[in-house]
Amino acid sequence: MHRAHHRVFTSESVTEGHPDKVADQISDAVLDAVLGKDPLGRVACETAISTGTVVVFGEITTEAYVDIPGIVRRTIRDIGYVRAKYGFDWETCGVLVGVDEQSPDIAQGVSTGGAGDQGMMFGYACDETPELMPAPIQLAHQLARRISECRRDGVMRWARPDGKTQVTVEYDEQGKPRRVDTVLVSVQHAEDVTHEQIFDDVQRHVVNATIPAAWLDDDTKRFVNPTGRFVIGGPIADAGLTGRKIIVDTYGGYARHGGGCFSGKDPTKVDRSAAYGARWAAKNVVAAGLAARCEIQVAYAIGVAKPVSVLVETFGTERVPVQRIQELLDEYIDLSPFGIISALELRRPIYQQVAAFGHFGRSDLDLPWEQVNLAQEFAREAGTEPLVPATAG
């Protein structure tokens, strides 16, 4: 059936075996190792990965010792690159480490509670899904996680670690998600499996098991490995680099992004902590029923604690004046780096777990920035009806 004038939006995700995500997980594994021994450690860890080689570099300041080569190998093993026939092997890959300490010029501003760099960060939430995330990226992440589960559980024995998903959602005239227009899944696979089996398994065990049946119809387009073959994947097929999947990490392009990546950075880096703080703030605004959509921009100057600007955007969906929302945020949330770190307890080794499948909307994890602990108070102060807590994540 032809649908005229329909609005669609598309977002993608990748599995934990995608080369860029391998790099992100290594960087965050190093970060977690440092924070596990030294919560005040400063980490800016970058990873590059290609055929048979991993390079870890950056600036790390800590009194603790961490075995970076060992961390690299264990991370690659746990992702699933355990045999050379997969194109990458945790035991035989080369590991190079080039790490220095943080610049004292930066440290002198950060040590007094200032931001670790200038820049602007965004947080976003909307009422499209129970997790208060945009539907396209939430569905894409859920598909990617399901692929990984099926590979690890042996449901799809032919599956290999690398993979991608993409979901196109159609919206109605009121801007609410109505149906899934297109689903694209690409999964690295064993050489001896047929394309027909891959397609059937992905539809049965991944797509139909993940996307609500009410959102799928006879007009939904379904693609699986559309080139017909995806045997060569992972780092042997494409180089990977920390921070190259920032839109996958956040809102799938549905909301704006400040530009900085998250992985490998300790929470004094506002690229990470402020993005988490802004998501926390925006999610509580939506969970409190103050607006159906909320985007918060916060900006900093290096070495300065107080944000230079905070902007609340509700896209005309506010149920109370935007100024009142701004006042509530000013009263309840301290968006200085120290304030965010303290409120969300960010000096803990909790980061590798979000280095794949998205940092937001993770109903499978207990993340501090996904709490809606302020929603009831916001609603009481503003006189709104909060969303049911069970649907607010």
Side-chain angles (χ1 to χ4, degrees):
M1 182 177 69
H2 177 67
R3 290 179 171 87
H5 309 298
H6 65 290
R7 173 178 174 264
V8 296
F9 194 89
T10 302
S11 294
E12 72 161 350
S13 183
V14 297
T15 65
E16 77 269 52
H18 186 283
D20 293 329
K21 276 292 147 203
V22 174
D24 284 343
Q25 289 166 92
I26 290 171
S27 291
D28 273 339
V30 172
L31 170 63
D32 279 356
V34 172
L35 293 180
K37 295 182 177 181
D38 178 11
L40 298 179
R42 302 277 173 77
V43 179
C45 179
E46 312 289 347
T47 302
I49 184 168
S50 188
T51 305
T53 306
V54 179
V55 181
V56 179
F57 54 100
E59 296 79 42
I60 299 177
T61 302
T62 181
E63 296 299 319
Y65 170 76
V66 295
D67 175 17
I68 293 179
I71 292 168
V72 170
R73 296 189 187 281
R74 288 192 296 274
T75 303
I76 295 170
R77 177 198 64 196
D78 293 346
I79 289 169
Y81 287 113
V82 294
R83 301 179 65 185
K85 67 183 296 184
Y86 296 170
F88 205 80
D89 179 27
W90 70 284
E91 291 184 296
T92 60
C93 66
V95 179
L96 305 177
V97 179
V99 171
D100 206 341
E101 293 190 345
Q102 184 180 61
S103 161
D105 293 347
I106 298 175
Q108 68 180 352
V110 177
S111 297
T112 57
D117 200 354
Q118 70 175 49
M120 67 288 187
M121 298 82 207
F122 291 91
Y124 182 80
C126 63
D127 63 1
E128 292 184 13
T129 62
E131 298 82 7
L132 304 188
M133 286 285 286
I137 186 64
Q138 192 66 20
L139 292 174
H141 283 323
Q142 290 171 351
L143 289 172
R145 278 165 45 198
R146 181 61 184 159
I147 291 169
S148 178
E149 292 169 2
C150 290
R151 172 176 64 88
R152 293 176 181 277
D153 294 346
V155 174
M156 300 191 315
R157 294 183 180 277
W158 49 263
R160 301 295 179 254
D162 197 359
K164 285 186 171 185
T165 64
Q166 185 172 286
V167 178
T168 301
V169 172
E170 180 182 326
Y171 289 78
D172 65 19
E173 293 76 7
Q174 285 73 47
K176 299 295 184 181
R178 160 164 91 182
R179 59 182 292 273
V180 170
D181 181 82
T182 306
V183 183
L184 168 60
V185 177
S186 295
V187 189
Q188 184 187 7
H189 59 86
E191 191 161 9
D192 58 356
V193 65
T194 66
H195 183 73
E196 288 73 22
Q197 181 181 346
I198 295 172
F199 187 93
D200 290 345
D201 283 352
V202 167
Q203 297 308 317
R204 177 183 176 187
H205 299 298
V206 178
V207 176
N208 295 340
T210 302
I211 298 178
W215 286 18
L216 298 169
D217 56 38
D218 291 342
D219 292 328
T220 298
K221 298 178 284 294
R222 302 172 184 241
F223 298 98
V224 177
N225 289 3
T227 68
R229 180 178 170 88
F230 188 6
V231 173
I232 301 173
I236 195 173
D238 191 12
L241 189 64
T242 299
R244 209 157 54 181
K245 284 291 177 286
I246 58 175
I247 302 303
V248 170
D249 285 341
T250 53
Y251 307 102
Y254 202 92
R256 286 171 282 201
H257 194 295
C261 80
F262 302 154
S263 290
K265 297 177 180 177
D266 75 78
T268 66
K269 280 71 171 174
V270 283
D271 278 339
R272 176 164 233 157
S273 55
Y276 291 169
R279 161 65 178 173
W280 176 48
K283 187 173 183 181
N284 276 273
V285 167
V286 175
L290 306 184
R293 298 170 60 197
C294 181
E295 183 182 75
I296 295 174
Q297 186 202 54
V298 59
Y300 299 86
I302 187 169
V304 179
K306 186 178 179 180
V308 298
S309 71
V310 177
L311 173 67
V312 177
E313 172 62 74
T314 55
F315 308 95
T317 69
E318 68 275 5
R319 300 185 180 100
V320 299
V322 175
Q323 180 61 36
R324 182 60 180 137
I325 297 174
Q326 181 77 64
E327 291 169 355
L328 287 169
L329 294 177
D330 290 343
E331 179 180 354
Y332 284 90
I333 297 180
D334 178 1
L335 287 172
S336 70
F338 179 78
I340 296 170
I341 291 169
S342 299
L344 301 182
E345 300 180 336
L346 296 182
R347 295 192 185 276
R348 297 176 290 151
I350 58 174
Y351 299 108
Q352 186 184 353
Q353 62 183 343
V354 293
F357 312 120
H359 293 241
F360 307 128
R362 295 295 299 271
S363 56
D364 59 317
L365 301 174
D366 182 18
L367 301 174
W369 52 88
E370 292 296 307
Q371 300 176 83
V372 289
N373 53 327
L374 299 176
Q376 295 291 331
E377 192 69 15
F378 282 2
R380 185 187 64 80
E381 292 264 14
T384 57
E385 185 66 30
L387 300 183
V388 179
T391 68

